């Protein structure tokens, strides 16, 4: 196992094809700081170029996934001019959703507890979300007079529809794991005690899969959300042609 973390509150390790990013600030429900954001961005940059990384898993330490931005840090920045605040969001926080959009390896959120505000948005910007039975979600920006700067206004309506997304933002209501799965926010729910073990099985199976084909499938789906049918078929034909020349495909055919 390789430990690549450069931040005390964010753990980043790579082992057996799986990169794990753990928000490790349980005393603050894993509320993120700018130092954590910087380490997070560096971890994703590493995952993008490291061929040993097949799958990325993101979770929180303790009993929470992530409570979003640290309200104490927000208080320290109240007197900063709007331009400086915009640059902080655009040049630092928003690097995470942009890096994830650029990353063609599967990213799995393991939501082990409460996910609120930008913490919920972090889960939404991942490709797949598995949750503990105790997990709860809420878009709490309006409670502190803010807007969803981490990308929630982009991701949530694409999962639950415009009307439901507006309701969740405007009421800041909590959604439990069962309702989150009904709405399409969560893929699967596991008992708290077995969440780690069950998700480890799934992630290990993904990591053992054909790397190029997995990445091509993710690209096809992501690009397909913005394209027409003809363009999507043209793109997948190219992906298919390259996949047929991959060692994984050849080995699978020769085993038959």
């Amino acid at each position: 196992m390789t430990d690549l973390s450069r931040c005390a509150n964010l753990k980043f390790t790579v082992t057996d094809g799986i990169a794990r990013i753990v928000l490790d600030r349980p005393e603050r429900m894993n509320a993120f700081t700018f130092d954590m954001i910087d380490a997070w961005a560096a971890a994703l940059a590493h995952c993008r170029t490291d061929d040993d990384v097949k799958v990325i898993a993101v979770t929180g330490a303790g009993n929470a996934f992530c409570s979003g931005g640290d309200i104490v840090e927000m208080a320290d920045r109240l007197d900063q001019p709007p331009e400086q605040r915009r640059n902080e969001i655009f040049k630092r926080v928003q690097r995470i959703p942009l890096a994830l959009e650029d990353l063609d390896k599967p990213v799995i959120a393991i939501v082990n507890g409460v996910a609120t505000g930008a913490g919920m948005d972090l889960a939404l910007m991942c490709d797949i979300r598995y949750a503990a039975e105790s997990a709860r979600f809420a878009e709490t920006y309006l409670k502190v007079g803010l807007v969803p700067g981490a990308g929630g206004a982009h991701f949530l309506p694409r999962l639950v529809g415009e009307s439901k997304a507006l309701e969740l933002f405007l009421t800041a209501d909590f959604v439990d794991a069962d309702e989150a799965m009904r709405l399409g926010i969560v893929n699967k729910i596991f008992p708290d005690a077995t969440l780690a073990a069950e998700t480890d099985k799934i992630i290990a199976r993904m990591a053992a899969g054909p790397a190029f084909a997995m990445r091509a499938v993710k690209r096809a789906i992501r690009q397909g959300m913005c394209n027409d049918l003809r363009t999507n078929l043209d793109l997948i034909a190219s992906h298919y042609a390259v996949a047929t020349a991959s060692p994984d495909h050849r080995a699978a055919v020769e085993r038959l």
Side-chain angles (χ1 to χ4, degrees):
M1 180 172 66
T2 303
D3 186 346
L4 302 171
S5 179
R6 296 176 178 84
C7 174
N9 297 125
L10 186 139
K11 306 302 183 189
F12 176 50
T13 59
V14 177
T15 183
D16 297 330
I18 301 168
R20 297 183 186 274
I21 299 173
V22 181
L23 307 181
D24 191 16
R25 206 173 170 226
E27 72 281 1
R28 297 289 298 164
M29 297 178 67
N30 301 315
F32 58 75
T33 64
F34 280 137
D35 284 344
M36 291 167 70
I37 288 288
D38 293 341
W40 200 342
L44 292 176
H46 178 95
C47 291
R48 186 178 185 276
T49 59
D50 184 353
D51 290 339
D52 289 336
V53 174
K54 306 295 176 53
V55 182
I56 299 94
V58 184
T59 194
N63 298 319
F65 179 70
C66 179
S67 59
D70 193 320
I71 197 72
V72 173
E73 279 201 352
M74 292 180 194
D76 293 338
R77 298 194 299 271
L78 281 176
D79 295 327
Q80 292 176 348
E83 182 179 2
Q84 183 175 351
R85 299 304 299 276
R86 182 194 185 281
N87 286 336
E88 285 178 345
I89 289 290
F90 182 68
K91 294 181 179 180
R92 298 186 84 174
V93 175
Q94 291 178 353
R95 285 181 300 168
I96 305 305
L98 290 172
L100 287 169
E101 182 184 50
D102 191 48
L103 185 60
D104 60 1
K105 302 173 184 181
V107 183
I108 317 301
I110 303 170
V111 185
N112 56 307
V114 170
T116 57
M120 178 172 175
D121 295 347
L122 164 60
L124 298 179
M125 65 184 74
C126 294
D127 301 314
I128 298 171
R129 287 156 294 281
Y130 298 130
E133 288 178 340
S134 65
R136 296 198 305 154
F137 301 81
E139 293 286 14
T140 51
Y141 291 96
L142 266 64
K143 287 188 175 182
V144 289
L146 289 176
V147 297
H154 174 87
F155 296 108
L156 188 58
R158 284 165 170 76
L159 287 172
V160 305
E162 179 182 336
S163 179
K164 188 62 181 180
L166 274 169
E167 181 185 46
L168 291 174
F169 277 116
L170 298 180
T171 63
D173 284 345
F174 274 87
V175 172
D176 65 20
D178 288 332
E179 178 68 0
M181 189 162 75
R182 188 187 73 80
L183 290 171
I185 295 171
V186 165
N187 294 73
K188 286 188 171 98
I189 302 170
F190 298 101
D192 287 36
T194 62
L195 175 68
E198 293 296 335
T199 54
D200 277 353
K201 293 176 189 175
I202 299 171
I203 294 168
R205 192 163 73 245
M206 292 181 184
F212 173 80
M214 286 197 302
R215 295 170 67 177
V217 166
K218 177 173 174 176
R219 283 199 297 270
I221 291 174
R222 282 290 176 89
Q223 293 168 345
M225 298 297 290
C226 305
N227 297 327
D228 58 71
L229 175 62
R230 186 172 297 277
T231 302
N232 286 335
L233 292 176
D234 182 59
L235 286 169
I236 202 66
S238 297
H239 292 327
Y240 184 92
V242 176
T244 60
S246 69
D248 289 315
H249 174 66
R250 179 176 294 275
V253 172
E254 290 176 347
R255 283 196 301 269
L256 297 178

